[in-house]
Amino acid sequence: MIKSNLKVRVTMWKGYLFNIASILMMGIGPLISKFGLLNISTSVASVINTLTIILASYILGKISKKSVNLYLTKDVTMLAVCNTIGVILMYVSLDLLSPVEIGFLGRFYTVFAVILAYIILKEKITSSEWLLVSLAILGTFMFISPSDNSDFNILGIVSAILYTFFFALSNILIKLTITEGRESNSLLFTNNVWTLILVSIYLIIFNNNWNLNLSSVSLTAIAALMTGFLGTLFLYEALKRLRFSVANVMRATSPIILAFVSYPFFPVKLTTLNIFGAVILILSVLIIGVVDFKKHSTLNKKNSDETALES
């Protein structure tokens, strides 16, 4: 019983660590992507992003001596379609907005993630957790509140919000496909093979700039390794160990990381409201993690006690 409870605690801690690693990758990557888009088009960047992830997944499979499988199923195909739309919209929004704005608007992802987890995954969320999620969302909107009356690019804003929806939906589908016992790296590989086909079609139809600046290509590839490969792979591993809603509420902290690393290049004036929102956001996420950890530890102990009594 003690060993079982300890195993659950270790599993959850691993989930938190994988999630934090993913958040760090996702928080820094958009800044590098923005610099990469200075001399190449969004469609070319989408293809480079996908090719990089496919190659990295294949190399990881060789290094780890685990076969990289191609899953030809309806659910993975649907996952790839959602991921493709998200990737394209992400680069469109990056082209039109600053990384800091992308990071702020990208926190709509948290709203979509919690709602979709409740509707599709049927995850039970207690009233106290709903309160903490609401505080995290409130903190997010306070943090993204503009410090002046400057105009935002409407197309960029819409693209940023829509790409967060499709990424949230993609991660819901990832959660469902992982429960089928599929290997994370093979799932990532398959997802991006399908995505490459779809973004290549988009490239042929919509691309007007075929410039392949070496610096931009390199930066785009590095950003793809950080966000699309490592960040996503870490997320897959976190989702094996954590509830979808909790894992994704924790990810609401990524715009703070992005704002911090982007400030020297894209300075943004933070108001008292922005800072207060960041504090609320961080505290809410931390408390959600603690509540989730204690709840699952208690639940596991209860189940272990019942099993011991039955035996």
Side-chain angles (χ1 to χ4, degrees):
M1 181 178 67
I2 296 176
K3 288 183 177 179
S4 178
N5 193 37
L6 179 61
K7 183 178 180 181
V8 170
R9 287 175 177 270
V10 171
T11 297
M12 291 183 68
W13 274 115
K14 285 183 178 179
Y16 290 135
L17 290 175
F18 276 122
N19 205 30
I20 290 170
S22 177
I23 291 168
L24 290 173
M25 294 294 102
M26 297 297 187
I28 299 172
L31 174 63
I32 301 175
S33 293
K34 178 65 176 181
F35 287 122
L37 282 171
L38 293 177
N39 295 298
I40 58 176
S41 66
T42 56
S43 52
V44 170
S46 299
V47 171
I48 293 171
N49 175 85
T50 311
L51 280 172
T52 302
I53 298 170
I54 291 173
L55 181 60
S57 295
Y58 181 78
I59 293 174
L60 177 61
K62 288 295 184 181
I63 293 175
S64 62
K65 296 182 180 180
K66 294 182 180 179
S67 59
V68 181
N69 301 312
L70 189 66
Y71 300 126
L72 301 176
T73 58
K74 291 182 179 179
D75 56 345
V76 178
T77 303
M78 180 62 68
L79 167 61
V81 171
C82 293
N83 186 69
T84 301
I85 297 174
V87 168
I88 292 172
L89 289 173
M90 178 186 72
Y91 279 109
V92 170
S93 59
L94 275 170
D95 188 44
L96 298 173
L97 303 174
S98 75
V100 178
E101 290 171 331
I102 292 295
F104 292 168
L105 293 170
R107 287 312 90 211
F108 277 96
Y109 172 91
T110 305
V111 181
F112 295 135
V114 172
I115 293 174
L116 290 173
Y118 180 75
I119 295 174
I120 299 176
L121 297 180
K122 308 299 181 183
E123 289 193 352
K124 294 182 179 179
I125 302 177
T126 65
S127 56
S128 60
E129 287 177 321
W130 273 121
L131 175 60
L132 289 168
V133 168
S134 299
L135 286 174
I137 294 172
L138 174 63
T140 299
F141 281 102
M142 291 171 66
F143 188 48
I144 69 175
S145 177
S147 57
D148 52 38
N149 296 320
S150 58
D151 294 328
F152 286 152
N153 186 298
I154 300 300
L155 178 59
I157 292 174
V158 172
S159 297
I161 294 174
L162 285 179
Y163 100 70
T164 63
F165 170 79
F166 281 103
F167 277 174
L169 182 56
S170 295
N171 288 336
I172 286 281
L173 297 175
I174 287 169
K175 179 70 173 179
L176 292 173
T177 54
I178 283 178
T179 58
E180 298 296 327
R182 297 188 176 103
E183 201 273 327
S184 296
N185 190 43
S186 293
L187 184 59
L188 182 61
F189 176 81
T190 302
N191 183 25
N192 281 278
V193 167
W194 282 112
T195 301
L196 176 62
I197 295 172
L198 297 173
V199 295
S200 295
I201 295 172
Y202 173 79
L203 172 68
I204 294 171
I205 296 175
F206 294 102
N207 185 54
N208 295 318
N209 178 14
W210 292 90
N211 180 38
L212 293 178
N213 178 275
L214 180 60
S215 176
S216 291
V217 170
S218 300
L219 289 171
T220 302
I222 292 171
L225 284 173
M226 293 181 65
T227 58
F229 180 64
L230 290 175
T232 304
L233 207 57
F234 289 149
L235 173 61
Y236 286 5
E237 293 301 317
L239 289 177
K240 290 180 180 179
R241 299 165 174 86
L242 300 174
R243 291 161 57 204
F244 182 86
S245 53
V246 170
N248 285 286
V249 169
M250 288 177 65
R251 299 171 71 80
T253 55
S254 64
I256 298 175
I257 299 172
L258 180 58
F260 180 78
V261 298
S262 299
Y263 186 81
F265 310 99
F266 301 92
V268 174
K269 182 180 179 181
L270 294 179
T271 64
T272 302
L273 181 65
N274 299 146
I275 297 172
F276 189 54
V279 172
I280 292 177
L281 174 59
I282 294 174
L283 289 178
S284 300
V285 169
L286 288 175
I287 296 173
I288 286 171
V290 172
V291 170
D292 181 64
F293 184 81
K294 288 184 176 180
K295 182 171 70 174
H296 279 73
S297 296
T298 302
L299 180 61
N300 179 73
K301 185 178 184 300
K302 180 180 178 182
N303 292 336
S304 298
D305 291 341
E306 290 175 353
T307 302
L309 288 173
E310 290 175 359
S311 60

